[in-house]
Amino acid sequence: ESRGVLKLKDMDEKNMHNLFLKNMAGLIEETKNPSPCLNPNSKRGGMATHAGVALELGIFRSSGTKMMSPQMEAILIWCQCRTREYDNVKIENFTHSWADGLAFCALIHHFFPQAFDYDKLQTGPQHRKNNYHLAFQTGERFAGIPDFLTAEDMEGMVADQRIDPKMIFSYVQEVYRMCNEL
């Protein structure tokens, strides 16, 4: 008797989150330094469980990416998992991936899809400040996410080409803290 295989893309959010938490430490290590695991039932995981999660979701580190702390990398992968279905969003770092505001909007929209119509958002420098406002105000209104990062802050950082990854990471970490159990 063969059991059906549940693909990650078909999993509900709760099961995905549980799998994500169980595999996060190994996922980070295996993505950086893949090691073959000949026994798929091995408790140590290996490619079959850890990097396999990332590969099936299409998540991988680009070769030009700076090294991050495990916590930053875990939050980055968490963001990638929640925004993978959104058009015009490809989160690879805590700088330029967030510059047009769509990544913020996609992340917030994932948790509060009734708050705004993501498909009506526009890309381009003339729209990014509106995208920041929408994401930050929606996050604050629906989840109580503190507004220590503002649309004006983001607009200034992008215009000056000095996006601070710690600011982006801190905000996204608050999204994780406030929304992850929703």
Side-chain angles (χ1 to χ4, degrees), residues 50 69 75 114 122 182:
H50 302 310
S69 71
I75 294 291
Q114 76 289 359
Q122 297 178 321
L182 298 177

Side-chain angles (χ1 to χ4, degrees), residues 72 75 93-95 98 104 136 145-154 157 162-175:
M72 285 183 88
I75 294 291
N93 53 47
F94 287 107
T95 54
W98 304 85
F104 289 115
F136 298 155
I145 299 165
D147 63 350
F148 61 83
L149 181 62
T150 66
E152 290 73 23
D153 294 334
M154 276 302 299
M157 287 191 289
R162 57 165 185 79
I163 300 173
D164 183 350
K166 291 178 184 162
M167 290 290 293
I168 307 285
F169 173 72
S170 296
Y171 180 81
V172 172
Q173 192 173 30
E174 281 301 305
V175 174

